[in-house]
Amino acid sequence: MEALGFGVQQKCGKRFSAHCGLLAKPRTNAVSTQRKQIGKQMLLPLRGYSLILLVSMFGVILCPIKGFVQSTSSTPMLLRGGGRSRTATETSAFKFRVITISQTKEKWCEEACKEYASRIKKFGVDLEETTLKPAIGPPKQTEEQQKDEEGKTLLSRLDIGKDRLVLLDERGELLTSHEFADYIQRCADQGDRSVTFAIGGASGHSEDVRATAKKAGRILSLGKMVLNHQIARVVLLEQIYRALTIQRGIPYHK
């Protein structure tokens, strides 16, 4: 009976409390609302950082690396060099050409050249490599005849007036990497369509080729020591890549 009485009392108590408004609904909604408000206040600063982060990410995605370019307007083209940011407005493609007179191709050389060529092209620069077969030399022909024949073949592949010819010769001018990068920049600024680097045969370049380079280009040396054709080709491509990183302020050259 006591248990029954307690049950009746409990039910009656609940009805009375509900009638008087004492047995209200649990305050879960109020607590939940309060927690949401606190959460919003805590997340509000984070949303700002998230927005900045998203904008930064999209900025990186939507702004690809600018390639080595050539200005089509009368205003000289401005690139990045010496750690300073520069921009170009109207642009067109610029090409590097490497012509080598050699009959030797070794795997290590081809792999190294392929690696640097891939790096160069990532800057949006076109790179064309051509290997010409050497002419017949002594004893069937003299070295002068050999150089003349190779020189004619080389010059036939150039568009003088639009292409800049740069000969690689041990007696050529020595440049630093920064000077080399600035020279390439000037070629583009002056409206050159491309810069053609020529690595001569075993006997060197003919006088006609040298005269053309002095008039419409330059004669450069990669060093005072003599390099074989394969090593010279690898060093040249590495220096072209280095020049591009210098122009863009990329910390490859130190």
Side-chain angles (χ1 to χ4, degrees), residues 144-197:
E144 291 300 323
Q145 291 174 329
Q146 181 184 20
K147 289 191 294 185
D148 289 341
E149 185 176 338
E150 292 172 349
K152 290 178 181 178
T153 304
L154 173 62
L155 294 176
S156 67
R157 293 176 174 267
L158 300 178
D159 186 356
I160 304 300
K162 294 184 179 180
D163 296 332
R164 186 70 61 111
L165 176 61
V166 178
L167 300 186
L168 297 184
D169 190 282
E170 61 186 271
R171 297 167 292 175
E173 183 181 0
L174 291 170
L175 298 179
T176 65
S177 294
H178 277 281
E179 291 172 339
F180 182 63
D182 290 340
Y183 174 69
I184 292 173
Q185 174 67 66
R186 290 197 301 272
C187 291
D189 290 344
Q190 294 172 7
D192 294 329
R193 183 181 63 182
S194 67
V195 175
T196 299
F197 297 92

Side-chain angles (χ1 to χ4, degrees), residues 40-53:
K40 287 181 180 180
Q41 293 177 356
M42 294 177 65
L43 291 176
L44 186 59
L46 297 179
R47 289 183 179 179
Y49 288 114
S50 301
L51 180 60
I52 295 174
L53 179 60

Side-chain angles (χ1 to χ4, degrees), residues 55-241:
V55 172
S56 301
M57 292 174 62
F58 279 105
V60 172
I61 296 172
L62 296 177
C63 298
I65 297 176
K66 293 183 179 179
F68 186 89
V69 290
Q70 174 185 11
S71 177
T72 56
S73 64
S74 57
T75 304
M77 177 187 61
L78 297 177
L79 293 177
R80 299 177 182 174
R84 296 167 294 175
S85 295
R86 303 180 180 180
T87 57
T89 52
E90 300 178 11
T91 60
S92 62
F94 187 87
K95 176 192 273 187
F96 290 114
R97 301 175 67 196
V98 178
I99 299 178
T100 307
I101 301 176
S102 176
Q103 59 184 3
T104 305
K105 284 188 177 182
E106 295 189 14
K107 184 177 180 180
W108 65 267
C109 176
E110 295 303 314
E111 289 179 351
C113 290
K114 184 178 180 180
E115 170 64 25
Y116 284 113
S118 175
R119 295 187 186 186
I120 291 170
K121 291 177 180 178
K122 287 181 180 179
F123 284 94
V125 182
D126 191 11
L127 175 66
E128 177 185 315
E129 292 189 81
T130 304
T131 302
L132 302 178
K133 185 178 179 181
I136 298 174
K140 294 185 177 181
Q141 286 193 130
T142 65
E143 288 188 355
E144 291 300 323
Q145 291 174 329
Q146 181 184 20
K147 289 191 294 185
D148 289 341
E149 185 176 338
E150 292 172 349
K152 290 178 181 178
T153 304
L154 173 62
L155 294 176
S156 67
R157 293 176 174 267
L158 300 178
D159 186 356
I160 304 300
K162 294 184 179 180
D163 296 332
R164 186 70 61 111
L165 176 61
V166 178
L167 300 186
L168 297 184
D169 190 282
E170 61 186 271
R171 297 167 292 175
E173 183 181 0
L174 291 170
L175 298 179
T176 65
S177 294
H178 277 281
E179 291 172 339
F180 182 63
D182 290 340
Y183 174 69
I184 292 173
Q185 174 67 66
R186 290 197 301 272
C187 291
D189 290 344
Q190 294 172 7
D192 294 329
R193 183 181 63 182
S194 67
V195 175
T196 299
F197 297 92
I199 302 176
S203 300
H205 297 288
S206 67
E207 290 302 321
D208 288 343
V209 172
R210 296 177 68 85
T212 303
K214 289 179 181 179
K215 182 179 179 181
R218 207 164 185 175
I219 301 177
L220 300 180
S221 173
L222 296 176
K224 293 184 177 181
M225 294 184 177
V226 178
L227 304 177
N228 68 31
H229 294 77
Q230 297 183 84
I231 294 178
R233 183 175 156 217
V234 174
V235 173
L236 172 63
L237 292 179
E238 193 277 339
Q239 286 299 310
I240 293 175
Y241 170 70

